[in-house]
Amino acid sequence: MRQVWITKAGRPEVLRVKEAPDPEPKAGEVRIRVEASGVNFADILARLGIYPDLPGLPAVVGYEVAGRVDAVGAGVDQGWIGRDVFAATRFGGYSDVVCAPEDQVFIRPADMSAEESAALPVNYLTAWQLVVVMGALKPGETVLVHSAGGGVGVAATQIVKHIGARVIGVASQWKHAELEKLGADHLVDMRREDLQKRVMDITGGRGVELVLDPNAGPSFRKSFQMLAPTGRLGMFGVSSFVNGKERDLLNLLRALIGTPLFQFMPMTLINANKGAFGVNLGRMWGETDRMRGWGMELLALWEKGAIRPRIDRVFSFDDAAAAHDYLQDRKNLGKVLLKP
């Protein structure tokens, strides 16, 4: 098999394609010949050596794949063989052959491509946990979606619109027209406009019921301030920890210092009638049954036409460094994938 390895912490050029023997599925596993693998910001953090769950470098990362089952381990129904599937993987997804536990593998609908299904696990499960499970969004409420043009942002927008709520999306100006087509009701370019003023103008001074923020640092404080009474802040990333293509410990320290810890103290939350919560899908491996249930609900939304991943670009394994560059430079509108 061919795999993309992070050989050491550093710039995208540290990614290398290497060959290894095909893995054999263990008991309870299926083996997938991979057609597409998802690229996520967690992979950027791993490459920089600042992702806390990384098993150590060198490593093969990747949380999601799509392809066809060609072998199964002991205790697994032989009927899986030949099935088109997608799966959540705990690292190892940057490979053209992957073994995954049976309960983390989903049968692909006939009208869903390998690329679309590889874009589902991380982004859509994260969005579902943010919006539905922990965000408890109701029809008629308003959601502020930071990084609305990213994979989670697009997924969240589609889920929010299905629920019947409003979306205020934060994205660069060039992404606005496409995000409007995807359902965003209002769009703000923070580099040109005062975000807090726009949000308050749109909501009549009340604020929003839910904010989805992957930025960390001072952004969490500003997002909390834009919440209406009973509003919830969903934190799901730390993109501000990254500054440039190499690890920047000074920037990391500044971002940590800028995190508004005192705003999330119990008495502050009680007196403000607001909430704050965090989502890290990579720490949900012990909740496989719940995650599988969310996945089945997402597949039901696919069948209704309520969700459709937007694939921005597909890079080959040999161009994995370019894929990391592209995602880190925020050139994408939707999902970035790798193809063996």
Side-chain angles (χ1 to χ4, degrees):
M1 66 175 173
R2 299 176 78 237
Q3 299 176 299
V4 179
W5 282 77
I6 301 175
T7 57
K8 60 182 179 179
R11 298 178 61 82
E13 291 74 23
V14 302
L15 298 173
R16 291 283 187 275
V17 178
K18 300 182 180 182
E19 293 188 356
D22 286 352
E24 292 297 326
K26 299 175 184 176
E29 291 184 339
V30 305
R31 189 173 71 183
I32 303 167
R33 294 285 169 179
V34 174
E35 299 171 56
S37 304
V39 181
N40 294 285
F41 203 80
D43 306 343
I44 306 295
L45 297 175
R47 195 200 74 231
L48 292 170
I50 58 175
Y51 190 63
D53 295 330
L54 188 66
L57 297 178
V60 179
V61 296
Y63 282 109
E64 54 196 349
V65 299
R68 179 167 294 179
V69 176
D70 77 339
V72 297
V76 179
D77 187 344
Q78 293 283 319
W80 277 103
I81 296 176
R83 292 267 197 173
D84 290 329
V85 300
F86 63 94
T89 57
R90 192 173 189 179
F91 301 113
Y94 285 18
S95 306
D96 65 5
V97 184
V98 167
C99 292
E102 181 182 15
D103 57 6
Q104 293 170 205
V105 181
F106 297 83
I107 295 172
R108 218 160 78 203
D111 62 340
M112 182 186 288
S113 69
E115 289 83 2
E116 289 170 320
S117 59
L120 275 174
V122 171
N123 292 160
Y124 280 81
L125 286 172
T126 297
W128 187 265
Q129 187 177 349
L130 283 163
V131 175
V132 178
V133 179
M134 300 179 74
L137 188 69
K138 302 293 188 298
E141 293 186 327
T142 302
V143 184
L144 176 64
V145 181
H146 286 275
S147 299
V152 174
V154 170
T157 295
Q158 293 176 352
I159 293 169
V160 169
K161 297 310 296 180
H162 172 72
I163 290 171
R166 288 197 304 172
V167 172
I168 303 174
V170 182
S172 300
Q173 183 70 39
W174 69 267
K175 300 181 181 182
H176 287 192
E178 187 64 25
L179 291 173
E180 286 177 356
K181 294 177 186 176
L182 291 170
D185 299 280
H186 304 274
L187 289 155
V188 184
D189 185 341
M190 287 178 57
R191 291 175 297 184
R192 302 183 179 194
E193 303 173 87
D194 183 321
L195 176 60
Q196 189 163 1
K197 182 178 185 304
R198 277 294 312 280
V199 167
M200 291 304 168
D201 287 346
I202 291 167
T203 61
R206 185 174 184 275
V208 299
E209 282 77 23
L210 180 63
V211 179
L212 310 184
D213 191 338
N215 298 319
S219 181
F220 286 166
R221 172 178 53 80
K222 296 175 183 177
S223 290
F224 188 81
Q225 292 171 348
M226 289 183 279
L227 290 174
T230 75
R232 293 82 66 195
L233 168 59
M235 301 169 284
F236 68 101
V238 290
S239 65
S240 66
F241 286 10
V242 175
N243 180 32
K245 300 297 170 65
E246 296 186 87
R247 182 165 49 189
D248 184 340
L249 295 180
L250 182 58
N251 176 73
L252 177 61
L253 180 61
R254 281 196 297 262
L256 287 170
I257 292 172
T259 301
L261 300 178
F262 291 107
Q263 284 197 281
F264 304 145
M265 297 291 283
M267 289 309 300
T268 302
L269 297 175
I270 290 170
N271 291 332
N273 287 291
K274 297 178 182 179
F277 64 89
V279 167
N280 179 353
L281 204 66
R283 296 286 181 96
M284 289 291 289
W285 296 107
E287 300 289 335
T288 305
D289 288 346
R290 295 188 70 198
M291 289 175 62
R292 185 165 190 83
W294 302 346
M296 297 309 295
E297 293 189 75
L298 288 166
L299 284 174
L301 291 189
W302 168 276
E303 296 293 347
K304 294 177 182 177
I307 62 170
R308 285 290 185 274
R310 186 185 191 280
I311 310 303
D312 184 285
R313 280 194 64 178
V314 181
F315 293 82
S316 71
F317 273 17
D318 292 322
D319 291 328
H324 273 223
D325 263 329
Y326 190 77
L327 183 64
Q328 196 172 347
D329 290 340
R330 292 176 171 80
K331 293 180 179 178
N332 63 303
L333 201 172
K335 189 68 174 181
V336 176
L337 299 172
L338 291 177
K339 206 159 191 175

